[in-house]
Amino acid sequence: MRLKLIVALFAGGVAISSSAFAHEPSHTAMLSNTCNGCHGTDGASAGFNPTVGGTPQTYIIDQMKKFKSGERPSTIMGRLAKAYSDDEIAAIASYYSTHKYVLAKQETDPAKVARGKEIHKERCEKCHEDNGRSGDDGGTIAGQWKDYLKITFQEFREKKREMPKKMAAKIAGEGPLSDADIDALIDFYASQK
Amino acid sequence: MSIDRRSFIKLLGASAGIGLAGVPMISVANEIMPKKGRRVVVIGGGYGGTIAAKYIRMSDPSIEVVLVEQNKDFVSCPFSNLVIAGLRDLKENTISYEKLTANHGIKLVHAEVTSIDVGAKKVVTSAGTISYDRAVLSPGISFRFDEIEGYDEKTTPEVIPHAWKAGPQTLLLRDQLRAMKDGGVVAMTVPQSPFRCPPGPYERISMIAHYLKHNKPNSKIVVWDANEKIASKEGLFKKGWAKHYGYDAKDASKGLIAYHSNSKIVKVDAKGKEIDNGVEALKADVINIIPPQKAGHIAFHAGVVGEDKKWCPVDQITFESKLAPGVHVIGDSCMAGPMPKSGYAANSQAKVCALNVVQLLNDKAPIDPSHVNVCYSYITDKEAVSVSAVYKVAEGKTISVPNSGGVSPDLSELEAVYAKGWIKNILTEMSS
């Protein structure tokens, strides 16, 4: 955790410590505001697209670089990420990581949520701690929109996006998760408030 | 919140009274809300204006923001082609201003802007004058009707919708398609670039073809495009039309779409439902003329339109007019290098302008702009394509960042999902 904080301070150049200053005009705000059109004001998505506000800076940097290189599949993100330097990506990541993470309010099926919870506890919690709210290097999955979670799981399962070995073992390894299991997991993460 | 309702009503009453008494309404008119601190007046509550107002307030809450907009609600042009095809309700394209103004302490005035006194820094509206330190104009577009012989500004669109400003015009075109017999001909004309939403006409062709295919399969849409080729995403549209609508570039008689480039409408007969391009006349059951365009009316009232008498030249870093100091112009009306006249571009320009208006009011140096444009177009109800780019300013000029951006590699179902994310998020940003 401490390492992450240091990275955050260093990479951002300017440390934005409180939300009172978060919106002050700055180069960082200039780079980031324009992303809000698709990802929502302060990165809190209103639907479909992932919420990036309040997600870990290291994760945003990592994903932007993977979009840029094509390692992570995308529709438009790869095309856009190519326009930004490493410093600019770090600045954007630092900006979004200082905002509050807003969990999406959406409808879920209680039976699926219960089943998803079991699977999560058994296979996922170790890395995606706190019901998917935080994780070692993973993104914040609790409270993301179902459409996005569906697309993401699909990309992982179709091997369009590379899974860490540990994750591949839990999802597709011995006793692989079924479509219904994945559906249940999605509802569980979507149900987090 | 917004304006002091009582004084607003009083004012309306007062001006009506003056009108009745026969005294000219031209104002020496009252200042609606005397200015105390620093104030920005934003004119136009669309893709640009709402965002400029919001981001000024977010960036520096000590600056008062007054948003002037004629209409009670805003209806989005993006996604209105889906409404025409019967795939979406116009209500889903409609936003109101209550939450936006309440959340950010923006003062909303529903009035028509008649002029801007740049010297005195006053916006003159139908409800009285409003003083400003800086004004931001986001007036959208108006039409160059006079370039089409026989086009009457008032009566022609009642019979031949342009549907290029969303609302009743969108529904009129949709309903005309619904009422048309199977086997009918739809004619559509595309104006010369630049116009609002470069891929918009071609998405509309796709959406009308989609409607015809599923409802009136013996019909045809004939397109006259004033441009020498499809103005945006050319390869993708042609591919999509061939894949889904039997389009054949070499044989216009095949399929649902007959597309003709270098064909500019010069004349219309609204009663006889006929258009003319100077070479041939075409009779059709439903006609959609997208007229050539220029900056919104307010830009002309404000004196910020350039020598071409069409669009507004602005400083590329602050969006301040090159003709009227203290007045900034964003969105479709302004010229921003290679940025298209799109909803997302207006959103992006509004944020750049907002931050730099705040900088200027605080006697600080403007910040180098960073813009994004993302535009999706539907080919069918399930497949979409996109164009995207990042822009910055180099040596005073807006440029697209090299080796980035571009169009989709192919038609995509995934992009049709993310397109829904686009409209949901951008309309939410504007209305909350």
Side-chain angles (χ1 to χ4, degrees):
Chain A
M1 226 28 235
R2 184 173 295 166
L3 179 68
K4 267 188 203 167
L5 185 65
I6 292 166
V7 169
L9 291 173
F10 181 72
V14 183
I16 301 160
S17 53
S18 98
S19 63
F21 299 105
H23 296 115
E24 246 182 38
S26 66
H27 182 58
T28 316
M30 183 63 89
L31 283 167
S32 310
N33 282 346
T34 188
C35 312
N36 293 349
C38 287
H39 289 283
T41 305
D42 293 345
S45 171
F48 301 91
N49 301 337
T51 285
V52 293
T55 61
Q57 186 188 17
T58 46
Y59 182 75
I60 302 175
I61 292 173
D62 187 43
Q63 296 308 306
M64 283 293 280
K65 288 184 176 172
K66 284 178 174 160
F67 280 133
K68 199 173 169 177
S69 71
E71 189 183 333
R72 178 170 172 182
S74 68
T75 53
I76 62 158
M77 281 310 298
R79 289 179 245 155
L80 294 174
K82 284 190 183 85
Y84 299 103
S85 68
D86 287 357
D87 284 350
E88 287 171 333
I89 286 173
I92 293 168
S94 96
Y95 188 75
Y96 281 116
S97 65
T98 56
H99 289 301
K100 192 173 165 247
Y101 184 78
V102 181
L103 294 101
K105 289 189 185 83
Q106 52 197 324
E107 278 182 24
T108 48
D109 175 344
K112 284 187 187 175
V113 171
R115 170 78 187 120
K117 189 177 180 179
E118 279 174 32
I119 304 168
H120 171 81
K121 293 286 174 214
E122 202 181 298
R123 302 194 186 211
C124 317
E125 174 67 21
K126 203 171 156 197
C127 292
H128 295 282
E129 297 154 40
D130 198 11
N131 292 346
R133 277 181 179 75
S134 62
D136 288 349
D137 300 306
T140 312
I141 48 179
Q144 293 286 4
W145 292 101
K146 279 205 258 186
D147 306 87
Y148 172 67
L149 291 170
K150 258 182 220 166
I151 291 166
T152 305
F153 267 114
Q154 202 175 340
E155 284 172 350
F156 277 129
R157 294 174 86 203
E158 289 173 358
K159 300 202 165 110
K160 288 179 182 158
R161 188 173 163 188
E162 199 188 344
M163 283 188 269
K165 272 186 193 152
K166 276 190 282 182
M167 184 171 161
K170 298 286 184 191
I171 286 188
E174 217 167 297
L177 292 176
S178 67
D179 290 352
D181 292 336
I182 299 289
D183 255 11
L185 269 178
I186 289 170
D187 266 49
F188 170 67
Y189 295 127
S191 74
Q192 297 303 305
K193 287 180 179 76
Chain B
M1 49 157 275
S2 56
I3 54 160
D4 178 344
R5 191 161 294 188
R6 202 171 294 164
S7 61
F8 180 53
I9 290 166
K10 237 192 255 170
L11 223 155
L12 276 178
S15 60
I18 292 166
L20 284 173
V23 179
M25 296 263 296
I26 321 163
S27 4
V28 191
N30 299 335
E31 182 78 26
I32 307 179
M33 31 177 120
K35 187 168 82 70
K36 294 190 187 90
R38 299 171 305 163
R39 176 191 285 165
V40 177
V41 176
V42 178
I43 300 165
Y47 272 84
T50 53
I51 296 297
K54 170 171 170 169
Y55 276 76
I56 290 170
R57 290 287 300 163
M58 274 168 60
S59 306
D60 188 342
S62 75
I63 297 168
E64 183 189 19
V65 173
V66 180
L67 176 62
V68 187
E69 164 58 46
Q70 276 190 76
N71 300 311
K72 209 175 130 273
D73 297 318
F74 173 73
V75 187
S76 167
C77 268
F79 274 68
S80 67
N81 286 330
L82 278 79
V83 177
I84 291 166
L87 299 171
R88 188 176 165 92
D89 196 312
L90 193 64
K91 279 183 198 140
E92 296 177 83
N93 278 26
T94 309
I95 56 168
S96 62
Y97 298 105
E98 287 89 11
K99 274 194 203 160
L100 174 79
T101 51
N103 289 350
H104 300 281
I106 297 163
K107 294 172 182 171
L108 178 65
V109 176
H110 285 302
E112 188 186 346
V113 173
T114 51
S115 68
I116 296 179
D117 186 338
V118 175
K121 295 193 168 185
K122 280 177 195 291
V123 174
V124 185
T125 79
S126 53
T129 65
I130 311 168
S131 293
Y132 64 80
D133 292 293
R134 287 190 176 270
V136 177
L137 269 60
S138 191
I141 51 154
S142 61
F143 296 115
R144 283 147 47 203
F145 296 120
D146 50 329
E147 292 179 20
I148 303 167
E149 191 189 332
Y151 197 112
D152 182 89
E153 187 175 339
K154 200 179 165 296
T155 58
T156 304
E158 289 170 1
V159 189
I160 296 177
H162 53 73
W164 218 240
K165 291 183 181 184
Q169 281 278 300
T170 314
L171 299 179
L172 180 60
L173 181 55
R174 180 196 70 185
D175 293 344
Q176 286 186 353
L177 289 168
R178 282 183 180 173
M180 189 182 81
K181 63 178 188 295
D182 187 13
V185 173
V186 182
M188 187 180 147
T189 72
V190 183
Q192 211 132 35
S193 296
F195 51 81
R196 161 179 280 178
C197 191
Y202 313 101
E203 179 188 58
R204 178 170 294 175
I205 294 165
S206 312
M207 286 293 93
I208 291 176
H210 182 268
Y211 172 78
L212 297 177
K213 181 178 174 177
H214 294 280
N215 298 280
K216 280 142 197 176
N218 299 305
S219 311
K220 186 114 183 168
I221 173 167
V222 181
V223 183
W224 285 357
D225 190 338
N227 299 285
E228 59 178 15
K229 59 177 187 160
I230 292 173
S232 175
K233 308 173 191 167
E234 187 194 9
L236 291 166
F237 279 115
K238 284 189 167 171
K239 190 172 182 178
W241 295 348
K243 180 179 172 188
H244 295 288
Y245 308 119
Y247 169 74
D248 185 335
K250 292 192 188 92
D251 187 351
S253 72
K254 286 186 184 161
L256 286 162
I257 300 170
Y259 170 82
H260 305 281
S261 56
N262 291 312
S263 178
K264 184 175 161 187
I265 181 175
V266 292
K267 199 169 147 187
V268 61
D269 171 7
K271 256 191 199 155
K273 288 274 182 98
E274 191 176 271
I275 53 174
D276 193 319
N277 62 5
V279 180
E280 57 173 330
L282 173 67
K283 255 189 182 311
D285 299 284
V286 174
I287 303 176
N288 172 212
I289 296 173
I290 304 170
Q293 294 155 34
K294 59 185 176 184
H297 293 301
I298 300 154
F300 288 87
H301 297 325
V304 293
V305 180
E307 281 174 5
D308 69 356
K309 298 198 165 64
K310 293 182 186 117
W311 309 108
C312 307
V314 295
D315 178 272
Q316 300 294 289
I317 293 174
T318 61
F319 285 84
E320 186 164 3
S321 166
K322 294 204 169 167
L323 303 168
V327 178
H328 301 249
V329 188
I330 56 172
D332 293 345
S333 280
C334 81
M335 292 192 271
M339 290 188 81
K341 300 187 182 305
S342 74
Y344 206 101
N347 173 292
S348 207
Q349 291 164 2
K351 290 164 179 171
V352 169
C353 178
L355 256 58
N356 282 336
V357 161
V358 169
Q359 289 293 90
L360 292 170
L361 287 174
N362 287 325
D363 294 320
K364 289 180 180 166
I367 300 165
D368 286 340
S370 180
H371 296 280
V372 165
N373 179 55
V374 175
C375 288
Y376 289 97
S377 307
Y378 280 85
I379 305 287
T380 69
D381 56 341
K382 291 187 186 69
E383 288 184 345
V385 294
S386 66
V387 61
S388 60
V390 178
Y391 302 91
K392 62 181 181 184
V393 174
E395 290 163 7
K397 286 189 174 134
T398 301
I399 58 156
S400 175
V401 177
N403 305 316
S404 67
V407 298
S408 318
D410 205 343
L411 314 185
S412 158
E413 289 191 16
L414 199 49
E415 295 214 43
V417 176
Y418 284 130
K420 287 182 188 158
W422 183 103
I423 192 71
K424 179 75 187 164
N425 275 290
I426 206 161
L427 290 182
T428 303
E429 251 226 307
M430 293 161 67
S431 59
S432 63

